[in-house]
Amino acid sequence: MLEIKNLHVDLEEEEKTILKGVDLTVEAGKVHAIMGPNGSGKSTLSYVLSGKDGYEVTDGSATLDGVDILDMEPEERAAAGLFLAFQYPVEIPGVGNMTFMRTAVNSQRKAKGLDEMSAADFLKLIREKAKELKMESDMLKRPVNVGFSGGEKKRNEILQMAMLEPKMCILDETDSGLDVDAMKLVADGVNALRQEGRGFLVITHYQRLLDHIKPDVVHIMSNGRIIKTGGPELALEVEKNGYGDLIEEVA
Amino acid sequence: MALPQAKQDATEARLAAVSRPAKGAAWAETARDEALARVRSMGLPHRRDEYWKFTTPDSLVQSEAPTAAVHVSDETNTFDDVDKLQIVFVDGVFDAAASDELTLEGVKVERLVDAVKTDIHWAKDVYGVLEERGQDPVARPLAALNTALASDGVVIHVTGKASKPINLVYHHTSDSSDAILHHVVKLDKGADLTVLENGPAAARFNKVMEVDVADGAAFHHVRTQGRDHERRAVTHLFARLGEESTFKSFTLTANGVLTRNECILELTGDNAAAHVAGACVGDGDFLHDDTVFITHDAVNCESRQVFKKVLRNGARGVFQGKILVKPDAQKTDGYQISQSLLLDGDSEFNAKPELEIYADDVACSHGSTTGAIDEEGLFYLRARGVPEDIATNLMTLAFLAEAVEEIEDESLRNIIVSRLEGWLDRRLG
């Protein structure tokens, strides 16, 4: 599904290479986790894949179902089925959460050649999904993420994911800033979306999120490369011994 | 002090180009004579005047109105769907056939031409009176010119709660029309009226509205200024607020080559509240100037100024806003914000916020910002599949929201939002 080959990325503003040849394939229906210390390039990978400005791809490729996504605009990647749950969801004062989601859903439908969803259908659907995430209907009326707690922002990300039904979901440190209860809610939301055909790339510092979202494959990233790949036991190893040993081992 | 010869000549040339309205009752003639004298002593504005530093007044002052093509569109009038009393002016002239009958429960509406002929009329205490009060400390000669020479307008006396809004509709049909309108509104104690205004009015439009708000009365004002690209307008809104009265005014300006909206408010009774807000969207050859002066002269009053401008393709915006708090105006709560969103590097915003405070127990804040669209927000929307142009529009509407939300009535607010959406959609590539 998502295939990343030899991806090299520089920061545009300064001469700094962040990703130094990332190879990674996420198969349909699988959950892959990327763990790694601060500054290893995990978030950069998520931004480059979703099309944020400020990065220059100097080598390599990234394809979604065989289609090159790196030349696409962010909205085209989204319509192609890529979704990034932000580490820091952006507050947009003045834009209602409901308006935002309806615009997003209908923009993607339009890009796929489908008719817009009617207001009534949309309302019914979003209420249902919000309820599953235990989101107050008040949160749908408020401006996007404004005045939301950390946990509410993350739940709002998962709600968007549920509404947009992407093929490939990237979760960038979705556990940051969450208490145990909120983490469980978010993980339940993600697990509900796990199904045949949908791929997940879960980026995290800590093993604890992976207690709730069980990965099929775990990658360790350090200094712009995947240095080790293994099963769920790799996450437990990191939890026990930290990254130091692994990085040394590879070096 | 004698005026410079050039200014004196320009003033006389302009005065000579307008014929004095038909003779009215003694009070009206006195008001006009005094206004004329004010114009002559102040002289019409010149580009070197400090108060016109950012907005060149030449085209507002010159004898003949610069021509402005009539913008033809199938767009309906802004407030067509509102139940209202409609009063229509075509190129600055009252149109009886297009207007509703001037009767409204709780309100007495007359044409200015009729009121000025009446020997004893309440308008004597307002016409040119609030305008004159507003001349100090800053001269507003184009308003005095209006008082001296306006021949048309409406005179509204509100005695109770008006059963529906009054909508002043200004059509523009002639490329060279030069309109001067003067309206007077007096609200008795506890009275309540909403005035709606819309339309481009004329090639050049000089409008004054004086509003006297008695104790406990409420005046609401919502206007849109028309889409004619080449029109020019200078408007003055003068108001005096009594105890526990409310004054709320909102203006939407989309296009027009030149617009100067002045709002001069005086809070003279305790516990009064005055809000003025404006949203403006400008594209290309466009200059929009909001000049506001709010004087607090009573205890525990509140004033808010919320102005937002979206500018692109070289459009320019100006904000000059002042809060003056007199020595006895304790417990004043003054708020002022002016912000511009520049959609490209060619556009420009000049802001001059001022606070002058002589009381020691007040809370006044002001802020002014200029910026581009928030890239983080834009990326967030795009990452959810919203195309860049639609995302930009959403962010733009969001930017304007704080000003639009100053409109208290929800249905009027929705009308303004849909107008803005229309403007933005028309500019999608």
Short mmCIF file of all heavy atoms in Angstrom, two decimals, chain A residues 50-52 73-75 78 83-84 86 90 92-95 100 104 107-108 144-145 157 160 164, chain B residues 374-390 394-395 397-399 401 405:
data_model
loop_
_atom_site.label_atom_id
_atom_site.label_comp_id
_atom_site.label_asym_id
_atom_site.label_seq_id
_atom_site.Cartn_x
_atom_site.Cartn_y
_atom_site.Cartn_z
N SER A 50 2.71 13.84 3.91
CA SER A 50 1.42 14.53 3.76
C SER A 50 1.54 15.82 2.96
O SER A 50 0.53 16.43 2.63
CB SER A 50 0.78 14.78 5.13
OG SER A 50 1.68 15.45 5.96
N GLY A 51 2.78 16.24 2.64
CA GLY A 51 2.93 17.34 1.69
C GLY A 51 3.14 18.72 2.28
O GLY A 51 2.84 19.74 1.66
N LYS A 52 3.67 18.78 3.50
CA LYS A 52 3.89 20.09 4.11
C LYS A 52 5.05 20.81 3.41
O LYS A 52 6.03 20.17 3.01
CB LYS A 52 4.21 19.91 5.59
CG LYS A 52 4.14 21.20 6.36
CD LYS A 52 4.28 21.00 7.84
CE LYS A 52 4.05 22.35 8.51
NZ LYS A 52 4.30 22.35 9.91
N GLU A 73 -0.28 17.74 -4.54
CA GLU A 73 -0.61 18.74 -3.53
C GLU A 73 -1.16 18.01 -2.30
O GLU A 73 -1.67 16.89 -2.43
CB GLU A 73 -1.70 19.69 -4.06
CG GLU A 73 -1.29 20.52 -5.27
CD GLU A 73 -0.18 21.50 -4.95
OE1 GLU A 73 -0.03 21.88 -3.76
OE2 GLU A 73 0.57 21.87 -5.87
N PRO A 74 -1.09 18.64 -1.14
CA PRO A 74 -1.59 17.96 0.08
C PRO A 74 -3.02 17.46 -0.08
O PRO A 74 -3.35 16.35 0.34
CB PRO A 74 -1.52 19.05 1.14
CG PRO A 74 -0.50 20.02 0.66
CD PRO A 74 -0.53 19.96 -0.84
N GLU A 75 -3.89 18.29 -0.71
CA GLU A 75 -5.29 17.90 -0.83
C GLU A 75 -5.47 16.70 -1.77
O GLU A 75 -6.39 15.90 -1.61
CB GLU A 75 -6.17 19.08 -1.27
CG GLU A 75 -5.76 19.78 -2.56
CD GLU A 75 -4.82 20.94 -2.34
OE1 GLU A 75 -4.04 20.91 -1.36
OE2 GLU A 75 -4.86 21.90 -3.14
N ALA A 78 -4.61 13.67 0.20
CA ALA A 78 -5.72 13.32 1.09
C ALA A 78 -6.81 12.59 0.30
O ALA A 78 -7.33 11.57 0.74
CB ALA A 78 -6.28 14.58 1.74
N PHE A 83 -3.95 9.98 5.22
CA PHE A 83 -4.43 10.81 6.34
C PHE A 83 -3.33 10.93 7.38
O PHE A 83 -2.75 9.93 7.79
CB PHE A 83 -5.65 10.17 6.98
CG PHE A 83 -6.25 10.98 8.11
CD1 PHE A 83 -7.26 11.89 7.87
CD2 PHE A 83 -5.77 10.83 9.41
CE1 PHE A 83 -7.79 12.65 8.92
CE2 PHE A 83 -6.30 11.58 10.45
CZ PHE A 83 -7.31 12.50 10.20
N LEU A 84 -3.08 12.17 7.80
CA LEU A 84 -2.13 12.39 8.89
C LEU A 84 -2.88 12.90 10.12
O LEU A 84 -3.52 13.95 10.06
CB LEU A 84 -1.07 13.43 8.47
CG LEU A 84 -0.16 13.94 9.60
CD1 LEU A 84 0.73 12.83 10.15
CD2 LEU A 84 0.71 15.11 9.12
N PHE A 86 -2.38 14.78 13.24
CA PHE A 86 -1.29 15.68 13.63
C PHE A 86 -0.87 15.48 15.08
O PHE A 86 -1.70 15.24 15.95
CB PHE A 86 -1.73 17.14 13.46
CG PHE A 86 -1.73 17.64 12.04
CD1 PHE A 86 -2.46 16.99 11.06
CD2 PHE A 86 -1.01 18.78 11.69
CE1 PHE A 86 -2.47 17.46 9.76
CE2 PHE A 86 -1.01 19.25 10.39
CZ PHE A 86 -1.74 18.60 9.43
N VAL A 90 -4.05 21.83 14.61
CA VAL A 90 -4.01 23.28 14.49
C VAL A 90 -5.35 23.90 14.92
O VAL A 90 -6.41 23.39 14.56
CB VAL A 90 -3.68 23.68 13.04
CG1 VAL A 90 -3.62 25.18 12.88
CG2 VAL A 90 -2.37 23.04 12.60
N ILE A 92 -8.09 26.67 14.49
CA ILE A 92 -8.51 27.61 13.45
C ILE A 92 -9.71 28.42 13.95
O ILE A 92 -10.86 28.03 13.77
CB ILE A 92 -8.87 26.89 12.13
CG1 ILE A 92 -7.75 25.90 11.76
CG2 ILE A 92 -9.06 27.90 11.02
CD1 ILE A 92 -7.98 25.16 10.47
N PRO A 93 -9.45 29.54 14.60
CA PRO A 93 -10.55 30.36 15.13
C PRO A 93 -11.45 30.81 13.99
O PRO A 93 -10.97 31.14 12.91
CB PRO A 93 -9.84 31.56 15.76
CG PRO A 93 -8.40 31.18 15.88
CD PRO A 93 -8.14 30.17 14.81
N GLY A 94 -12.73 30.79 14.22
CA GLY A 94 -13.66 31.33 13.22
C GLY A 94 -14.20 30.27 12.26
O GLY A 94 -15.22 30.50 11.62
N VAL A 95 -13.53 29.14 12.13
CA VAL A 95 -14.06 28.08 11.28
C VAL A 95 -14.70 27.02 12.17
O VAL A 95 -14.03 26.42 13.01
CB VAL A 95 -12.96 27.43 10.41
CG1 VAL A 95 -13.55 26.28 9.59
CG2 VAL A 95 -12.32 28.46 9.50
N PHE A 100 -15.88 22.74 8.80
CA PHE A 100 -14.58 22.22 8.39
C PHE A 100 -14.71 20.78 7.91
O PHE A 100 -14.27 20.42 6.81
CB PHE A 100 -13.62 22.35 9.58
CG PHE A 100 -12.40 21.49 9.52
CD1 PHE A 100 -11.50 21.58 8.47
CD2 PHE A 100 -12.12 20.59 10.55
CE1 PHE A 100 -10.36 20.79 8.44
CE2 PHE A 100 -10.99 19.80 10.53
CZ PHE A 100 -10.11 19.90 9.46
N ALA A 104 -14.36 19.23 4.17
CA ALA A 104 -13.34 18.22 3.89
C ALA A 104 -13.97 16.98 3.24
O ALA A 104 -13.50 16.50 2.20
CB ALA A 104 -12.61 17.84 5.17
N SER A 107 -15.15 17.86 -0.25
CA SER A 107 -14.03 18.10 -1.17
C SER A 107 -13.47 16.77 -1.66
O SER A 107 -13.16 16.60 -2.84
CB SER A 107 -12.91 18.89 -0.48
OG SER A 107 -13.35 20.18 -0.16
N GLN A 108 -13.32 15.83 -0.72
CA GLN A 108 -12.78 14.53 -1.11
C GLN A 108 -13.74 13.76 -2.00
O GLN A 108 -13.34 13.10 -2.95
CB GLN A 108 -12.43 13.71 0.14
CG GLN A 108 -11.28 14.32 0.91
CD GLN A 108 -10.51 13.30 1.73
OE1 GLN A 108 -10.70 12.10 1.57
NE2 GLN A 108 -9.65 13.78 2.61
N VAL A 144 -12.67 25.02 15.04
CA VAL A 144 -11.77 23.88 14.97
C VAL A 144 -10.67 23.93 16.04
O VAL A 144 -9.83 24.83 16.02
CB VAL A 144 -11.11 23.81 13.56
CG1 VAL A 144 -10.17 22.62 13.49
CG2 VAL A 144 -12.17 23.72 12.48
N ASN A 145 -10.73 22.99 16.95
CA ASN A 145 -9.70 22.80 17.99
C ASN A 145 -9.53 23.96 18.97
O ASN A 145 -8.68 23.89 19.85
CB ASN A 145 -8.33 22.47 17.37
CG ASN A 145 -8.35 21.12 16.67
OD1 ASN A 145 -8.97 20.19 17.14
ND2 ASN A 145 -7.68 21.05 15.53
N GLU A 157 -9.04 14.52 15.91
CA GLU A 157 -8.27 13.96 14.80
C GLU A 157 -8.84 12.60 14.39
O GLU A 157 -9.00 12.31 13.20
CB GLU A 157 -6.79 13.77 15.20
CG GLU A 157 -6.04 15.06 15.46
CD GLU A 157 -5.85 15.90 14.21
OE1 GLU A 157 -5.06 15.52 13.33
OE2 GLU A 157 -6.53 16.94 14.12
N GLN A 160 -12.05 12.92 12.54
CA GLN A 160 -11.82 13.26 11.12
C GLN A 160 -11.44 12.01 10.34
O GLN A 160 -11.88 11.79 9.21
CB GLN A 160 -10.73 14.32 11.01
CG GLN A 160 -11.16 15.68 11.55
CD GLN A 160 -9.98 16.61 11.78
OE1 GLN A 160 -9.06 16.64 10.99
NE2 GLN A 160 -10.02 17.36 12.86
N LEU A 164 -13.47 10.55 7.17
CA LEU A 164 -12.86 10.59 5.84
C LEU A 164 -12.52 9.19 5.31
O LEU A 164 -12.27 9.02 4.11
CB LEU A 164 -11.60 11.47 5.87
CG LEU A 164 -11.88 12.96 6.14
CD1 LEU A 164 -10.59 13.71 6.45
CD2 LEU A 164 -12.58 13.62 4.96
N ASP B 374 -2.65 32.29 7.71
CA ASP B 374 -1.94 31.37 8.59
C ASP B 374 -1.61 30.07 7.85
O ASP B 374 -2.49 29.29 7.52
CB ASP B 374 -2.81 31.11 9.82
CG ASP B 374 -2.24 30.01 10.70
OD1 ASP B 374 -1.01 29.81 10.68
OD2 ASP B 374 -3.02 29.36 11.42
N GLU B 375 -0.32 29.88 7.58
CA GLU B 375 0.11 28.72 6.78
C GLU B 375 -0.19 27.39 7.46
O GLU B 375 -0.51 26.41 6.81
CB GLU B 375 1.62 28.81 6.48
CG GLU B 375 2.00 29.92 5.49
CD GLU B 375 1.46 29.64 4.08
OE1 GLU B 375 1.25 28.48 3.73
OE2 GLU B 375 1.24 30.63 3.35
N GLU B 376 -0.07 27.38 8.78
CA GLU B 376 -0.32 26.14 9.52
C GLU B 376 -1.78 25.71 9.35
O GLU B 376 -2.09 24.55 9.12
CB GLU B 376 -0.03 26.33 11.01
CG GLU B 376 1.44 26.57 11.34
CD GLU B 376 2.29 25.32 11.18
OE1 GLU B 376 1.80 24.24 11.53
OE2 GLU B 376 3.43 25.44 10.69
N GLY B 377 -2.68 26.71 9.49
CA GLY B 377 -4.10 26.42 9.35
C GLY B 377 -4.42 25.96 7.93
O GLY B 377 -5.20 25.03 7.71
N LEU B 378 -3.80 26.65 6.97
CA LEU B 378 -4.03 26.33 5.56
C LEU B 378 -3.60 24.89 5.27
O LEU B 378 -4.32 24.12 4.62
CB LEU B 378 -3.23 27.31 4.70
CG LEU B 378 -3.63 27.47 3.25
CD1 LEU B 378 -5.07 27.93 3.14
CD2 LEU B 378 -2.71 28.46 2.55
N PHE B 379 -2.44 24.51 5.78
CA PHE B 379 -1.94 23.15 5.54
C PHE B 379 -2.87 22.13 6.20
O PHE B 379 -3.16 21.07 5.62
CB PHE B 379 -0.51 23.00 6.07
CG PHE B 379 -0.01 21.57 5.97
CD1 PHE B 379 0.15 20.96 4.73
CD2 PHE B 379 0.26 20.84 7.12
CE1 PHE B 379 0.58 19.63 4.63
CE2 PHE B 379 0.69 19.51 7.03
CZ PHE B 379 0.85 18.91 5.79
N TYR B 380 -3.32 22.46 7.39
CA TYR B 380 -4.22 21.54 8.11
C TYR B 380 -5.48 21.26 7.28
O TYR B 380 -5.90 20.12 7.12
CB TYR B 380 -4.58 22.17 9.45
CG TYR B 380 -5.30 21.26 10.43
CD1 TYR B 380 -4.68 20.14 10.95
CD2 TYR B 380 -6.60 21.55 10.84
CE1 TYR B 380 -5.33 19.33 11.87
CE2 TYR B 380 -7.25 20.75 11.76
CZ TYR B 380 -6.62 19.63 12.27
OH TYR B 380 -7.26 18.83 13.17
N LEU B 381 -6.06 22.32 6.73
CA LEU B 381 -7.26 22.15 5.90
C LEU B 381 -6.95 21.34 4.64
O LEU B 381 -7.70 20.45 4.25
CB LEU B 381 -7.83 23.51 5.51
CG LEU B 381 -8.42 24.36 6.64
CD1 LEU B 381 -8.72 25.77 6.16
CD2 LEU B 381 -9.70 23.72 7.16
N ARG B 382 -5.82 21.65 4.02
CA ARG B 382 -5.46 20.95 2.78
C ARG B 382 -5.15 19.48 3.06
O ARG B 382 -5.49 18.61 2.25
CB ARG B 382 -4.27 21.64 2.12
CG ARG B 382 -4.59 23.05 1.66
CD ARG B 382 -3.40 23.72 1.05
NE ARG B 382 -3.04 23.12 -0.24
CZ ARG B 382 -1.92 23.38 -0.89
NH1 ARG B 382 -1.03 24.21 -0.39
NH2 ARG B 382 -1.68 22.81 -2.05
N ALA B 383 -4.54 19.22 4.20
CA ALA B 383 -4.22 17.84 4.54
C ALA B 383 -5.49 17.01 4.75
O ALA B 383 -5.44 15.79 4.76
CB ALA B 383 -3.35 17.80 5.79
N ARG B 384 -6.61 17.69 4.92
CA ARG B 384 -7.88 16.98 5.05
C ARG B 384 -8.61 16.90 3.71
O ARG B 384 -9.78 16.53 3.64
CB ARG B 384 -8.78 17.66 6.09
CG ARG B 384 -8.22 17.60 7.51
CD ARG B 384 -8.11 16.18 8.02
NE ARG B 384 -7.44 16.08 9.32
CZ ARG B 384 -6.19 15.65 9.47
NH1 ARG B 384 -5.46 15.29 8.42
NH2 ARG B 384 -5.64 15.58 10.66
N GLY B 385 -7.94 17.40 2.67
CA GLY B 385 -8.52 17.26 1.33
C GLY B 385 -9.20 18.50 0.80
O GLY B 385 -9.79 18.48 -0.27
N VAL B 386 -9.13 19.61 1.54
CA VAL B 386 -9.77 20.84 1.08
C VAL B 386 -8.82 21.55 0.11
O VAL B 386 -7.70 21.87 0.49
CB VAL B 386 -10.10 21.77 2.27
CG1 VAL B 386 -10.81 23.03 1.78
CG2 VAL B 386 -10.96 21.03 3.29
N PRO B 387 -9.23 21.79 -1.13
CA PRO B 387 -8.35 22.46 -2.09
C PRO B 387 -7.89 23.83 -1.60
O PRO B 387 -8.60 24.49 -0.83
CB PRO B 387 -9.22 22.60 -3.35
CG PRO B 387 -10.28 21.57 -3.21
CD PRO B 387 -10.53 21.43 -1.73
N GLU B 388 -6.72 24.23 -2.05
CA GLU B 388 -6.09 25.44 -1.52
C GLU B 388 -6.99 26.68 -1.62
O GLU B 388 -7.08 27.46 -0.68
CB GLU B 388 -4.77 25.70 -2.26
CG GLU B 388 -4.00 26.85 -1.64
CD GLU B 388 -2.63 27.03 -2.26
OE1 GLU B 388 -2.36 26.43 -3.33
OE2 GLU B 388 -1.82 27.78 -1.69
N ASP B 389 -7.69 26.84 -2.76
CA ASP B 389 -8.50 28.07 -2.91
C ASP B 389 -9.68 28.07 -1.92
O ASP B 389 -9.99 29.09 -1.31
CB ASP B 389 -8.96 28.27 -4.36
CG ASP B 389 -9.57 27.02 -4.98
OD1 ASP B 389 -9.69 26.01 -4.26
OD2 ASP B 389 -9.93 27.06 -6.16
N ILE B 390 -10.29 26.92 -1.75
CA ILE B 390 -11.41 26.85 -0.81
C ILE B 390 -10.91 27.01 0.63
O ILE B 390 -11.53 27.68 1.45
CB ILE B 390 -12.18 25.53 -0.99
CG1 ILE B 390 -12.82 25.50 -2.38
CG2 ILE B 390 -13.27 25.37 0.08
CD1 ILE B 390 -13.52 24.20 -2.71
N LEU B 394 -12.03 29.80 3.38
CA LEU B 394 -12.47 29.46 4.74
C LEU B 394 -11.67 30.25 5.77
O LEU B 394 -12.22 30.80 6.72
CB LEU B 394 -12.26 27.97 5.00
CG LEU B 394 -13.43 27.02 4.91
CD1 LEU B 394 -12.98 25.61 5.28
CD2 LEU B 394 -14.59 27.45 5.82
N MET B 395 -10.36 30.30 5.55
CA MET B 395 -9.48 31.03 6.48
C MET B 395 -9.80 32.52 6.46
O MET B 395 -9.73 33.21 7.47
CB MET B 395 -8.01 30.83 6.11
CG MET B 395 -7.51 29.41 6.18
SD MET B 395 -7.39 28.78 7.86
CE MET B 395 -6.01 29.74 8.46
N LEU B 397 -12.78 33.92 5.68
CA LEU B 397 -14.05 34.11 6.41
C LEU B 397 -13.82 34.06 7.91
O LEU B 397 -14.39 34.84 8.67
CB LEU B 397 -15.04 33.02 6.03
CG LEU B 397 -15.91 33.24 4.82
CD1 LEU B 397 -16.79 32.03 4.60
CD2 LEU B 397 -16.78 34.50 4.99
N ALA B 398 -12.94 33.14 8.30
CA ALA B 398 -12.64 32.99 9.72
C ALA B 398 -12.00 34.27 10.26
O ALA B 398 -12.31 34.73 11.35
CB ALA B 398 -11.71 31.81 9.94
N PHE B 399 -11.14 34.85 9.44
CA PHE B 399 -10.46 36.09 9.84
C PHE B 399 -11.49 37.22 10.05
O PHE B 399 -11.39 38.01 10.99
CB PHE B 399 -9.45 36.48 8.77
CG PHE B 399 -8.91 37.87 8.91
CD1 PHE B 399 -7.91 38.15 9.82
CD2 PHE B 399 -9.41 38.91 8.13
CE1 PHE B 399 -7.42 39.43 9.97
CE2 PHE B 399 -8.93 40.20 8.27
CZ PHE B 399 -7.93 40.46 9.20
N ALA B 401 -14.57 36.86 10.86
CA ALA B 401 -15.68 36.46 11.74
C ALA B 401 -15.85 37.37 12.96
O ALA B 401 -16.97 37.72 13.32
CB ALA B 401 -15.49 35.02 12.18
N GLU B 405 -19.41 38.97 13.77
CA GLU B 405 -20.13 38.55 14.96
C GLU B 405 -20.61 39.71 15.82
O GLU B 405 -21.39 39.54 16.75
CB GLU B 405 -19.26 37.59 15.79
CG GLU B 405 -19.35 36.16 15.25
CD GLU B 405 -18.17 35.29 15.64
OE1 GLU B 405 -17.44 35.67 16.57
OE2 GLU B 405 -17.99 34.24 15.00
#
